[in-house]
Amino acid sequence: MKDINFVYDSIIIGGGVIGASVARYLSRYKGNFLVIEKHNDCGEETSSRNSAIVHSGYDPIPGTQKAKFNVLGNKMMGQVCEDLNVEFLRIGSITVAFSKEEDAILLSLLERAKENNVEAEFLTQDQLRKIEPNISPLATSGLLCKSAGIVNPFTLNIKFMENAMDNGVELHLNEEVTNITKRVDFYEVFTNLGNIYRTKTIVNAAGLYSDKVLSFVEKPEFEIEPRKGEYFVLDHFNTSFVKHTLFMCPTKVGKGILVSPTTSFNYILGPSNDLTYKEDYMTNTDILNSVKEGAFKLIPSIPLQENIRQFSGIRANSSTHDFVIGESKINKGFFNCAAIMSPGLASSPAIGEYVSDLIKNELNLEINPNFNPKVRKSSSLKTLGKDKYNELIKENPQYGKLICRCERVSEGEIVDSIHRNCGARSVKGVKKRTRSGFGRCQGTFCQEDVVKILARELNISLDEVNYDDLGTNILVETRKGQ
């Protein structure tokens, strides 16, 4: 059992992109900080199952938490991704209209963009087709926001946590918070492993379960109303097929179907938007067909033969229709980062900085003079020129052995991803960090090698290697004679 006399300055519940961001920004200060994550890796739920869009901030209602943190987070994202060695491209977004009524909606959104201090430009049909030649001839106008971008959501989450750990934050994986008790000067946090942790402050960054975590100490004034989105991912086929993130006109329930490039030069189509329950990650043929219909409305010539996978994600939509951020009015030292729905990914740096500063002020924390905002850069065939990569191979021959041919990932990259702070512990963990298995064959040819590398580097047997969470072992039996 954990020594219950040890007191943390702050415990962050949840290792998704919000919890990891708070941890990273908290590490700017001196203190003892712990992140508790119930999965075998960080970012296993909403943070890795989304559209990967860094929204400009034109859409949220002015004055809301969404508007505030979206605009701030968008402005921060470039420097954050440079420091953390995360793929980020500010390609801009276009919201597309298909009727006079929708033209009017775009004009109203243009006014909202001004209120949110976001630069936006109304495009006529001719202007729209000039910059996006493949767009539907039925499109009547567009709203261009040049500050929007696309980011690698997997590495953003992981690098936030890696940087936090580089600067002294603890991470406990495969541990779930089961109860919280408020004492006079601290909280006791109970987990499924029988541990009891004492902490001066708590950050509730539990995503889909943030209402449940809050209910341990008080009755929540909001309820998570999970909504599922289903997607298609297309292979690399034409880097100029779509140049911007293309949105439909927004409705009361969301921004609708989008078509967008990704930072890996794939294309993503989706999402749908349906009420669901918190563990429902199944995809549905009828819903995916509706996604196709919406995507074809934007771009009629989408080559769906390039589809390599479908997936779904669940958004932590709230009954309040806004983020719930800040200190509890009832329980001092309990900070919510709850109900973080879209545009949560874009907002993550700003939320992390804001909440960490609230805790710093609460506890009078001193600046950490050794804080380093940067992570060690990764080396890969995709980021180094031919000459530099050949030099790297001479230094470390593992970089000369290609494991994933679809995404051009070497053994050296995989080994490095395992041994960093917040390193890969599963096949999916390697996949998220290196893209090994994300290509056209979806791991058919490289997964066996990845399993062997994980077993060797983690010093475990092959049958102990998990695909994802504990208990998802890749090998379940041995054939006779092998």
Side-chain angles (χ1 to χ4, degrees):
M1 179 179 289
K2 188 75 179 180
D3 180 2
I4 63 172
N5 292 313
F6 184 87
V7 178
Y8 286 94
D9 291 290
S10 193
I11 289 180
I12 300 165
I13 302 171
V17 71
I18 301 299
S21 176
V22 174
R24 188 257 185 158
Y25 283 100
L26 259 183
S27 70
R28 295 175 299 162
Y29 306 112
K30 292 182 180 179
N32 297 308
F33 310 119
L34 168 65
V35 178
I36 300 177
E37 166 56 50
K38 68 180 181 180
H39 290 290
N40 194 32
D41 198 2
C42 291
E44 286 291 87
E45 295 180 359
T46 305
S47 297
S48 62
R49 295 169 173 266
N50 56 67
S51 305
I53 308 300
V54 179
H55 296 280
S56 61
Y58 79 87
D59 182 53
I61 297 172
T64 60
Q65 298 270 46
K66 283 185 182 182
K68 172 185 174 180
F69 289 105
N70 185 173
V71 174
L72 288 173
N74 178 284
K75 290 177 180 178
M76 295 171 68
M77 192 63 74
Q79 186 63 55
V80 166
C81 290
E82 182 179 334
D83 287 343
L84 299 182
N85 195 30
V86 173
E87 304 92 329
F88 171 61
L89 298 171
R90 206 175 284 280
I91 62 172
S93 68
I94 303 174
T95 305
V96 183
F98 287 90
S99 66
K100 290 182 178 179
E101 292 77 15
E102 290 188 346
D103 292 342
I105 292 174
L106 293 192
L107 289 172
S108 67
L109 289 174
L110 181 60
E111 293 303 311
R112 182 180 291 183
K114 292 177 182 177
E115 291 185 66
N116 287 340
N117 198 27
V118 174
E119 290 188 13
E121 177 185 352
F122 186 83
L123 303 176
T124 65
Q125 187 179 52
D126 289 343
Q127 290 172 321
L128 179 59
R129 290 190 61 77
K130 185 175 181 179
I131 62 175
E132 285 290 356
N134 290 313
I135 204 150
S136 169
L138 300 178
T140 55
S141 65
L143 185 68
L144 171 64
C145 292
K146 294 182 180 179
S147 62
I150 52 177
V151 70
N152 184 327
F154 313 109
T155 54
L156 179 64
N157 194 154
I158 289 160
K159 295 300 181 181
F160 269 141
M161 189 61 73
E162 179 182 328
N163 190 231
M165 296 175 71
D166 288 348
N167 287 294
V169 176
E170 290 182 48
L171 171 64
H172 291 189
L173 296 171
N174 300 305
E175 190 164 9
E176 183 174 359
V177 173
T178 56
N179 205 357
I180 301 170
T181 300
K182 178 72 168 70
R183 303 301 184 189
V184 176
D185 297 319
F186 60 89
Y187 291 88
E188 286 185 340
V189 177
F190 300 80
T191 76
N192 63 324
L193 300 184
N195 291 327
I196 305 171
Y197 303 102
R198 285 181 173 176
T199 179
K200 298 173 186 176
T201 64
I202 288 177
V203 178
N204 172 18
L208 290 165
Y209 301 89
S210 53
D211 53 351
K212 177 182 177 181
V213 168
L214 181 57
S215 73
F216 293 148
V217 295
E218 65 188 65
K219 184 178 180 180
E221 295 182 350
F222 67 94
E223 181 180 354
I224 297 298
E225 299 173 341
R227 301 195 73 94
K228 182 167 70 171
E230 300 187 23
Y231 297 85
F232 290 92
V233 178
L234 308 186
D235 199 11
H236 324 282
F237 65 90
N238 180 346
T239 56
S240 60
F241 181 68
V242 174
K243 301 171 185 176
H244 304 76
T245 296
L246 303 180
F247 293 111
M248 308 287 281
C249 263
T251 66
K252 291 181 179 180
V253 294
K255 299 178 179 68
I257 304 300
L258 63 81
V259 176
S260 180
T262 71
T263 56
S264 54
F265 304 103
N266 296 81
Y267 288 93
I268 190 168
L269 319 176
S272 54
N273 193 343
D274 300 284
L275 283 169
T276 187
Y277 57 91
K278 294 178 181 180
E279 292 83 23
D280 177 22
Y281 290 104
M282 299 292 290
T283 55
N284 177 279
T285 299
D286 291 337
I287 292 175
L288 287 171
N289 284 336
S290 71
V291 171
K292 286 183 194 177
E293 185 179 340
F296 279 130
K297 184 175 181 180
L298 284 167
I299 305 286
S301 57
I302 293 172
L304 269 180
Q305 69 272 17
E306 299 290 345
N307 172 50
I308 55 175
R309 73 181 297 250
Q310 302 88 41
F311 73 96
S312 70
I314 303 176
R315 299 182 286 280
N317 284 35
S318 165
S319 54
T320 65
H321 308 292
D322 198 6
F323 299 158
V324 178
I325 298 173
E327 188 171 20
S328 164
K329 297 175 183 177
I330 300 171
N331 290 288
K332 186 176 176 61
F334 191 100
F335 296 87
N336 283 302
C337 294
I340 308 298
M341 61 204 97
S342 178
L345 188 67
S347 304
S348 60
I351 295 172
E353 183 179 58
Y354 175 76
V355 173
S356 69
D357 283 344
L358 291 180
I359 295 170
K360 181 261 294 186
N361 294 334
E362 181 92 19
L363 301 179
N364 294 314
L365 299 176
E366 298 178 10
I367 296 293
N368 176 5
N370 299 316
F371 173 73
N372 180 1
K374 298 180 182 292
V375 298
R376 176 174 56 82
K377 289 190 174 183
S378 303
S379 299
S380 74
L381 186 60
K382 298 184 285 290
T383 59
L384 295 177
K386 181 180 177 181
D387 291 341
K388 288 187 176 180
Y389 197 75
N390 282 333
E391 291 176 9
L392 179 62
I393 292 172
K394 290 178 182 178
E395 295 174 10
N396 185 345
Q398 288 182 330
Y399 282 92
K401 183 178 180 181
L402 209 58
I403 299 297
C404 175
R405 288 167 174 78
C406 297
E407 296 293 322
R408 297 186 299 166
V409 180
S410 71
E411 181 178 7
E413 293 169 65
I414 294 172
V415 170
D416 182 52
S417 77
I418 294 169
H419 291 294
R420 287 171 172 265
N421 274 328
C422 195
R425 301 156 63 100
S426 65
V427 171
K428 187 177 176 183
V430 169
K431 185 177 181 179
K432 291 195 299 182
R433 289 160 176 80
T434 68
R435 293 196 56 78
S436 180
F438 262 131
R440 177 170 284 276
C441 83
Q442 291 290 290
T444 301
F445 295 102
C446 65
Q447 182 167 286
E448 181 180 350
D449 286 332
V450 171
V451 171
K452 291 177 180 177
I453 294 169
L454 279 163
R456 182 190 72 208
E457 298 300 320
L458 296 176
N459 195 28
I460 59 177
S461 63
L462 291 172
D463 60 6
E464 291 179 284
V465 175
N466 289 284
Y467 176 77
D468 190 1
D469 274 337
L470 297 182
T472 59
N473 306 70
I474 293 289
L475 303 179
V476 294
E477 63 180 41
T478 302
R479 289 188 295 181
K480 186 175 180 180
Q482 293 188 0

